[in-house]
Amino acid sequence: MRLGALFKSTGGAAGISAERINHLSEEIGRNTLQSAEGMRDAAGALMTFRAITGDQFERTLHLTADLAEILGTDARSAALQFGKALEDPKTGLTMLRRSGVSFTDSQKEMIFKLQESGDLMKAQTVVLGILEGQFGGTGAGAGGGLAGAADLVGENLAKFSENLMQVTGIAGLVTGALTGIGRALGFIADK
């Protein structure tokens, strides 16, 4: 619901549907040690950067799991770093460098020239290509072995529970009950 609301409020600026973003979040959650919920939070953060769209958005979301793994941070924080770097590479690359992501002088010069010429999308493509070469696949690599298998059980159990609640109607019943309790408590608090 949060992704849908963000999609609506940004006018679909990400250039891909909320359903596609949700699917990507679940896919990354299953293939890395990041959770689908954490990746949805990261996607929500990325959606606020209107300059990141379509394929760039998808590539950035995948790299977000990689950077989060490398830095030992949450996906949302990594997404915010990427969002700033891709929206304004001249400023954002410096912030990425502070996190340990490096660019050569010639790479930075090429990226800055593309940005200055008004071809931000090409600059983003270059940045993403460099980052994919440096650490792409790190999140998926960490998602292997015993830790990955245990994480996969948790991700799929959460998805199964979510689907079961939707199909059986339990989600609607619980939502209605909690809404009623919340309103009752609000009424009592006001009195």
Side-chain angles (χ1 to χ4, degrees):
M1 293 185 136
R2 179 177 42 221
L3 282 178
L6 271 169
F7 186 82
K8 193 179 218 179
S9 70
T10 61
I16 58 176
S17 69
E19 292 81 21
R20 175 70 181 140
I21 294 170
N22 188 53
H23 174 76
L24 280 170
S25 298
E26 289 176 359
E27 175 189 312
I28 295 168
R30 285 183 172 137
N31 293 323
T32 68
L33 295 180
Q34 299 297 317
S35 69
E37 185 62 30
M39 293 310 301
R40 280 190 281 272
D41 288 345
L46 279 178
M47 288 172 78
T48 64
F49 296 96
R50 294 175 184 253
I52 306 169
T53 63
D55 183 54
Q56 313 297 55
F57 187 94
E58 291 191 27
R59 290 173 69 191
T60 304
L61 192 58
H62 279 281
L63 281 168
T64 293
D66 299 328
L67 185 63
E69 184 63 39
I70 289 168
L71 298 179
T73 189
D74 63 290
R76 185 178 185 284
S77 296
L80 288 170
Q81 283 190 319
F82 277 139
K84 292 172 186 174
L86 293 174
E87 192 163 71
D88 180 10
K90 206 162 212 171
T91 305
L93 293 187
T94 302
M95 293 167 45
L96 282 177
R97 187 177 53 82
R98 290 182 191 138
S99 296
V101 179
S102 61
F103 293 86
T104 66
D105 288 338
S106 62
Q107 289 171 333
K108 287 188 282 190
E109 184 179 333
M110 176 176 46
I111 293 163
F112 297 159
K113 282 183 180 179
L114 286 167
Q115 180 183 6
E116 289 166 2
S117 73
D119 197 350
L120 183 59
M121 185 167 279
K122 180 68 175 167
Q124 289 174 344
T125 299
V126 172
V127 170
L128 292 171
I130 292 167
L131 297 176
E132 286 166 340
Q134 280 188 20
F135 57 79
T138 304
L146 182 58
D151 185 69
L152 181 61
V153 169
E155 283 296 315
N156 286 332
L157 182 60
K159 183 64 179 168
F160 172 76
S161 299
E162 179 183 318
N163 288 344
L164 182 65
M165 287 177 47
Q166 291 296 331
V167 168
T168 60
I170 293 172
L173 292 172
V174 171
T175 300
L178 290 176
T179 300
I181 291 169
R183 287 184 179 145
L185 288 173
F187 176 77
I188 292 168
D190 290 343
K191 297 297 176 188

